[in-house]
């Protein structure tokens, strides 16, 4: 299984853990909620769903709601099938959530993992965030060393592009530092007007308040 397909399976399981959905709903959520899946098709999604069903992690059920007109035109009769997470699928997803190895720190996988931090235990969130920060700090050090070696040979525009890439990485490192400090403090990271969201571990998830600063997109190509 490729890394890309593994990320897609993880995201599908995570979304279906929230509620059963049909294929059109899943595709819409993947496009709108998880930026790393902005450009993918039913030709990618449905083989993934079939694999998850074959593994016993999902079951297919007839849909009870009227078929959406747009869904019908895009997915035909398949939109009538609702996918539901099985107990085995939930157990598998929770196992995936507990993984904190190097794959969880890479650009696309980190973006998917971060999207489900509300369902992840604080200790695991910390390890993933710290691993991601370490990976980016290594990348930043290499970028600086490369720039120092090649600065004299670069034209102004290429030099600005290099600087832009470094600034993007530096910005994400600062954002990660804020998240890590918030996790360590254990404070509620949602605005006061929001109801707290408790995950299965009884811990409160969410993001810190940034005082107007812009949070980088973990899937931003400039950080690769």
């Amino acid at each position: 299984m490729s890394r890309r397909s593994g990320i897609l399976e993880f995201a599908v399981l995570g979304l279906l853990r929230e509620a059963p959905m049909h294929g059109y709903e899943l595709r819409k959520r993947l496009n709108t909620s998880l930026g790393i899946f902005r450009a993918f098709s039913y030709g990618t999604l449905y083989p993934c769903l079939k694999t998850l069903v074959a593994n016993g992690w999902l079951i297919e059920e007839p849909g009870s709601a009227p078929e959406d007109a747009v869904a019908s035109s895009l997915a035909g009769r398949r939109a009538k099938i609702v996918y539901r997470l099985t107990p085995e699928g939930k157990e598998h997803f929770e196992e995936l959530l507990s993984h904190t190895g190097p794959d969880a720190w890479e650009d696309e996988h980190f973006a998917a993992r971060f999207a489900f931090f509300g369902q992840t235990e604080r200790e695991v969130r910390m390890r993933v965030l710290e691993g991601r920060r370490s990976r980016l700090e290594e990348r930043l050090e290499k970028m600086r060393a490369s720039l120092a070696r090649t600065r004299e040979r670069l034209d102004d525009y290429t030099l600005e592009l290099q600087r832009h890439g470094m600034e993007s990485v530096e910005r994400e490192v600062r954002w990660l530092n804020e998240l890590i400090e918030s996790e360590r403090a254990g404070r509620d990271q949602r605005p006061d007007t929001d109801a707290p969201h408790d995950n299965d571990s009884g811990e409160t998830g969410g993001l810190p308040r940034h005082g107007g600063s812009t949070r980088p997109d973990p899937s931003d190509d400039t950080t690769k």
Side-chain angles (χ1 to χ4, degrees):
M1 180 176 64
S2 69
R3 175 177 295 180
R4 180 76 174 180
S5 62
I7 297 171
L8 179 57
E9 289 185 6
F10 172 83
V12 168
L13 291 172
L15 290 175
L16 291 176
R17 190 175 188 270
E18 298 173 2
M21 302 180 201
H22 58 60
Y24 173 73
E25 291 173 314
L26 270 171
R27 184 173 184 267
K28 186 176 180 181
R29 287 290 306 278
L30 288 165
N31 279 328
T32 58
S33 302
L34 302 177
I36 60 173
F37 298 108
R38 290 188 185 103
F40 84 108
S41 66
Y42 280 105
T44 302
L45 177 59
Y46 279 98
C48 172
L49 291 170
K50 294 300 182 184
T51 297
L52 295 175
V53 170
N55 288 339
W57 298 329
L58 302 182
I59 57 173
E60 297 176 330
E61 301 176 335
S64 57
E67 186 175 356
D68 185 281
V70 178
S72 177
S73 64
L74 291 177
R77 294 180 179 179
R78 290 177 297 183
K80 297 180 181 179
I81 298 174
V82 172
Y83 295 90
R84 182 184 298 274
L85 198 65
T86 64
E88 293 79 11
K90 180 179 179 181
E91 182 179 350
H92 179 63
F93 178 68
E94 290 174 351
E95 179 184 350
L96 294 175
L97 277 181
S98 69
H99 292 177
T100 60
D103 280 351
W105 312 340
E106 301 299 337
D107 294 339
E108 289 187 343
H109 206 157
F110 174 75
R113 287 298 303 271
F114 190 81
F116 296 101
F117 262 23
Q119 304 180 39
T120 306
E121 294 182 359
R122 178 174 289 120
E123 182 181 351
V124 174
R125 294 197 303 262
M126 279 290 295
R127 290 199 295 268
V128 173
L129 290 171
E130 289 174 342
R132 174 66 174 174
R133 181 177 63 180
S134 175
R135 179 58 48 85
L136 289 183
E137 287 173 341
E138 292 174 2
R139 184 182 302 174
L140 191 57
E141 183 177 349
K142 291 178 181 178
M143 293 173 73
R144 287 169 174 162
S146 176
L147 184 60
R149 290 193 306 269
T150 61
R151 181 187 299 270
E152 298 302 324
R153 301 195 298 271
L154 299 177
D155 61 61
D156 291 343
Y157 296 102
T158 304
L159 185 60
E160 283 304 311
L161 185 62
Q162 295 283 336
R163 287 173 175 166
H164 173 68
M166 288 176 55
E167 289 171 0
S168 298
V169 178
E170 290 169 343
R171 185 169 61 250
E172 186 171 346
V173 169
R174 290 194 298 269
W175 171 64
L176 290 166
N177 285 336
E178 292 178 17
L179 289 171
I180 290 168
E181 288 305 313
S182 295
E183 294 288 351
R184 285 176 177 164
R187 62 176 179 262
D188 185 354
Q189 300 162 356
R190 290 182 179 270
D192 295 338
T193 55
D194 288 351
H197 172 72
D198 294 334
N199 60 25
D200 288 349
S201 66
E203 297 173 332
T204 301
L207 299 174
R209 304 176 71 172
H210 288 262
S213 63
T214 301
R215 185 173 70 251
D217 182 351
S219 64
D220 190 344
D221 289 341
T222 58
T223 66
K224 294 182 181 178

